[in-house]
Short mmCIF file of all heavy atoms in Angstrom, two decimals:
data_model
loop_
_atom_site.label_atom_id
_atom_site.label_comp_id
_atom_site.label_asym_id
_atom_site.label_seq_id
_atom_site.Cartn_x
_atom_site.Cartn_y
_atom_site.Cartn_z
N GLY A 817 129.92 253.87 204.35
CA GLY A 817 129.12 255.16 204.04
C GLY A 817 129.39 255.71 202.62
O GLY A 817 128.62 256.61 202.14
N SER A 818 130.54 255.30 201.97
CA SER A 818 130.76 255.99 200.62
C SER A 818 130.17 255.20 199.51
O SER A 818 130.59 255.44 198.33
CB SER A 818 132.25 256.15 200.52
OG SER A 818 132.92 254.88 200.45
N MET A 819 129.40 254.26 199.74
CA MET A 819 129.04 253.27 198.85
C MET A 819 127.60 253.68 198.23
O MET A 819 127.00 252.96 197.37
CB MET A 819 128.97 251.83 199.35
CG MET A 819 130.21 251.38 199.77
SD MET A 819 131.24 250.72 198.39
CE MET A 819 130.47 249.25 198.25
N GLY A 820 126.98 254.76 198.63
CA GLY A 820 125.63 255.11 198.14
C GLY A 820 124.57 254.36 198.91
O GLY A 820 124.81 253.46 199.71
N ASN A 821 123.31 254.71 198.53
CA ASN A 821 122.23 254.08 199.23
C ASN A 821 120.85 253.74 198.36
O ASN A 821 119.83 253.78 198.85
CB ASN A 821 121.79 254.92 200.49
CG ASN A 821 121.39 256.35 200.11
OD1 ASN A 821 121.31 256.61 198.95
ND2 ASN A 821 121.24 257.19 201.05
N GLU A 822 121.11 253.65 197.09
CA GLU A 822 120.05 253.38 196.22
C GLU A 822 120.06 251.94 195.58
O GLU A 822 121.07 251.22 195.81
CB GLU A 822 120.03 254.35 194.98
CG GLU A 822 119.74 255.78 195.54
CD GLU A 822 119.48 256.80 194.43
OE1 GLU A 822 118.94 256.22 193.39
OE2 GLU A 822 119.62 258.02 194.53
N ASN A 823 119.08 251.45 194.80
CA ASN A 823 119.10 250.18 194.18
C ASN A 823 119.92 250.49 192.89
O ASN A 823 119.24 251.01 191.80
CB ASN A 823 117.80 249.83 193.85
CG ASN A 823 117.63 248.41 193.31
OD1 ASN A 823 118.40 248.05 192.52
ND2 ASN A 823 116.53 247.71 193.55
N ALA A 824 121.09 250.03 192.90
CA ALA A 824 121.99 250.28 191.60
C ALA A 824 121.49 249.50 190.36
O ALA A 824 121.51 250.14 189.32
CB ALA A 824 123.44 249.74 191.98
N ALA A 825 121.07 248.39 190.49
CA ALA A 825 120.54 247.61 189.42
C ALA A 825 119.41 248.34 188.70
O ALA A 825 119.29 248.37 187.57
CB ALA A 825 120.14 246.21 189.75
N ARG A 826 118.47 248.90 189.47
CA ARG A 826 117.26 249.71 188.98
C ARG A 826 117.83 250.89 188.30
O ARG A 826 117.27 251.27 187.15
CB ARG A 826 116.34 250.05 190.25
CG ARG A 826 114.96 250.60 189.71
CD ARG A 826 114.13 250.66 190.89
NE ARG A 826 113.74 249.18 191.30
CZ ARG A 826 113.22 248.90 192.50
NH1 ARG A 826 112.92 249.90 193.37
NH2 ARG A 826 113.00 247.64 192.87
N PHE A 827 118.78 251.56 188.91
CA PHE A 827 119.29 252.70 188.20
C PHE A 827 119.99 252.36 186.89
O PHE A 827 119.78 253.11 185.91
CB PHE A 827 120.45 253.33 189.15
CG PHE A 827 121.20 254.51 188.60
CD1 PHE A 827 120.65 255.74 188.44
CD2 PHE A 827 122.64 254.27 188.28
CE1 PHE A 827 121.36 256.75 187.84
CE2 PHE A 827 123.33 255.26 187.70
CZ PHE A 827 122.79 256.58 187.48
N TRP A 828 120.73 251.25 186.84
CA TRP A 828 121.37 250.81 185.54
C TRP A 828 120.24 250.55 184.44
O TRP A 828 120.43 251.06 183.37
CB TRP A 828 122.11 249.50 185.80
CG TRP A 828 123.23 249.60 186.70
CD1 TRP A 828 124.03 250.71 187.12
CD2 TRP A 828 123.81 248.46 187.38
NE1 TRP A 828 125.01 250.42 187.97
CE2 TRP A 828 125.01 248.97 188.11
CE3 TRP A 828 123.63 246.96 187.36
CZ2 TRP A 828 125.73 248.15 188.94
CZ3 TRP A 828 124.41 246.27 188.15
CH2 TRP A 828 125.56 246.85 188.96
#
Side-chain angles (χ1 to χ4, degrees):
S818 67
M819 298 281 281
N821 57 11
E822 296 194 26
N823 185 326
R826 189 165 300 163
F827 173 72
W828 296 339

